[in-house]
């Protein structure tokens, strides 16, 4: 590991202890600990009124995520998932040097 990856891994562990980690599950897979980021509520105009949707950003440590979900990162796009007991869909996913950032969309939102 590099000095940077050692530093980010250590800070992620510290953040999980301070902010708190929550369980995230893709499909019927195993849970991986994530740190919850921002949740957005949106309301868009549709033909028959307004459509409400939600978005949520979560972050997992890269090693933790790959240990539970080893397939290529793009294979998880559009998959149904669960975070804190709520049902979501993976809208986009981003793999970095030390983290996986996942943006979730409410299942009612059109893909």
């Amino acid at each position: 590991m590099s000095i940077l990856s050692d530093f980010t891994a250590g800070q992620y562990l510290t953040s999980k202890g301070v902010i708190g980690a929550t369980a995230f599950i893709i499909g019927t897979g195993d849970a991986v600990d994530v740190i919850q980021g921002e949740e957005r509520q949106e309301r868009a105009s549709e033909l028959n009124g307004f459509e409400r949707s939600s978005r949520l950003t979560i972050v997992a440590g890269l090693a933790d995520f790959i240990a539970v979900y080893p397939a290529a990162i793009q294979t998880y796009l559009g998959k149904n998932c669960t975070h804190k007991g709520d049902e979501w869909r993976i809208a986009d996913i981003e793999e970095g040097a030390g983290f996986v950032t996942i943006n979730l969309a409410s299942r009612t939102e059109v893909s």
Side-chain angles (χ1 to χ4, degrees), residues 24-110:
F24 171 70
I25 302 167
I26 299 174
T28 58
D30 293 328
V32 63
D33 282 345
V34 298
I35 297 174
Q36 180 175 330
E38 294 77 24
E39 183 172 353
R40 292 169 291 289
Q41 303 294 319
E42 301 169 343
R43 193 176 107 162
S45 177
E46 297 291 328
L47 291 175
N48 297 321
F50 290 96
E51 181 69 26
R52 183 185 159 284
S53 65
S54 302
R55 294 225 168 205
L56 175 66
T57 300
I58 57 174
V59 177
L62 180 61
D64 295 346
F65 186 84
I66 289 174
V68 177
Y69 298 105
I73 204 85
Q74 66 270 19
T75 62
Y76 301 110
L77 282 172
K79 300 283 186 191
N80 289 334
C81 55
T82 307
H83 177 256
K84 291 176 34 178
D86 295 326
E87 296 179 342
W88 297 88
R89 180 180 44 79
I90 297 178
D92 62 77
I93 189 166
E94 182 178 350
E95 181 180 348
F99 307 102
V100 175
T101 302
I102 306 166
N103 287 305
L104 308 176
S106 56
R107 289 197 187 171
T108 58
E109 188 172 318
V110 178

